[in-house]
Amino acid sequence: MPVNLRIRSYKTIAIIFIASLLINVLAIKSTYSQQNCPKVQTSIQSIDETGVKGLSGTSIDTLRDSPFKNYVTILSQQVSAKIDEIAQCQGDLKSSPEVKLFFVYRPLVTYTGAPIVGPFNLEPTQSSGTRHLDSPWVKLTFSRSPTIVVRAVFLWNERQFLLDQALMSGIRGSPTNPLVPIDDGIFRQFIQDYTDSVLLAPSSEARPAAEASISKRLPPDILWLFRYASGQRGPFYTWLDPALNSAVTRGASGYTDLTKALVDQFFTSETTEIRYESVLDLKDLFTLDRYRINQLR
């Protein structure tokens, strides 16, 4: 074999050997890094403000099957995946990422004798570089130094479902944040007022004026519910629970997807403060038709 070919052959073998050695070293380093990577410690707590058994607990498995359980499952998995992507065992983490997620089920009405629930907010953090998301659907804080810390409150709020639908349908109203449950006695007064003013209007010609008048007295979320629950046979109040359940069930997927879009934006954005007040503010972030309910039935 010519000398030049022999030298080239030796060089090729040497290059292959060195490349193989580097690959093995990197593989060992990767395996070691994975073995010593801090695991994400995720704490999940669902808080039931309705008193319905099976909607609260510290484990998803303890929740009864419902749109709420699906919501908790999807969003907790999404946050965990986002934190896994951020951590990636870069070696600069001093301890395991700490993730605490609260899922709050907030009803439309609180009954006589039960306290009216107050706002559920996150405690402010003092870490440098902390980022915040404040919205009616989810509140999030994230900080990375000296360790990754995530706090989130997800609000499954029946009044928020209704307010979102009201605003998307064209009903005007200033968002009220936070939307707390309505006392049962006040809710009954709303029902009576709507029945007397609108459903028992003296004529069909008088009804538009009655609608316009009562829209100034009722919260927009309640007005939307009453409008779409009316027109059925039988006492009006008997249709409110089925109408509410239908609205929440049909809007659940959109409500969940809307919240997912907010979480995605939060973790991909470098903005330190993100704030939304109304579903109409999200039209550039989320396709509202995926959430909009045109008919309850």
Side-chain angles (χ1 to χ4, degrees), residues 9 31 37 40 63 100 211 231 237 239 261 292:
S9 178
T31 301
C37 175
V40 177
L63 301 179
K100 290 187 178 181
E211 285 268 12
Y237 67 87
W239 288 100
R292 193 190 318 270

Side-chain angles (χ1 to χ4, degrees), residues 82-132:
K82 293 293 182 183
I83 300 306
D84 284 339
E85 290 175 8
I86 293 171
Q88 291 185 350
C89 293
Q90 295 298 315
D92 60 344
L93 299 179
K94 303 302 181 183
S95 59
S96 300
E98 183 181 313
V99 183
K100 290 187 178 181
L101 309 179
F102 300 90
F103 293 87
V104 181
Y105 194 116
R106 182 158 290 171
L108 171 66
V109 177
T110 184
Y111 293 96
T112 304
I116 297 178
V117 182
F120 194 103
N121 294 316
L122 292 174
E123 295 182 2
T125 58
Q126 303 300 322
S127 302
S128 60
T130 298
R131 292 190 281 122
H132 302 272

Side-chain angles (χ1 to χ4, degrees), residues 42 44 46 52 55 62-63 115 136 158 169 180 187 209 215 241-242 246-247 263 266 280:
T42 302
I44 299 174
S46 58
V52 177
L55 293 177
T62 63
L63 301 179
E158 292 179 347
S169 73
V180 297
F187 188 65
S215 66
D241 279 346
S246 177
V263 173
F266 177 78
L280 302 181

Side-chain angles (χ1 to χ4, degrees), residues 171-212:
I171 296 176
R172 295 183 179 181
S174 299
T176 302
N177 192 23
L179 287 170
V180 297
I182 300 171
D183 179 76
D184 179 54
I186 295 175
F187 188 65
R188 289 176 180 275
Q189 291 177 21
F190 288 158
I191 295 173
Q192 192 64 53
D193 191 5
Y194 188 82
T195 301
D196 294 342
S197 302
V198 178
L199 300 183
L200 298 179
S203 65
S204 58
E205 290 77 12
R207 187 160 180 168
E211 285 268 12

Side-chain angles (χ1 to χ4, degrees), residues 34 40 56 70 99 118 134 178 184 186 224 237 256:
Q34 290 175 4
V40 177
S56 62
N70 188 57
V99 183
D134 186 15
D184 179 54
I186 295 175
W224 185 89
Y237 67 87
T256 302

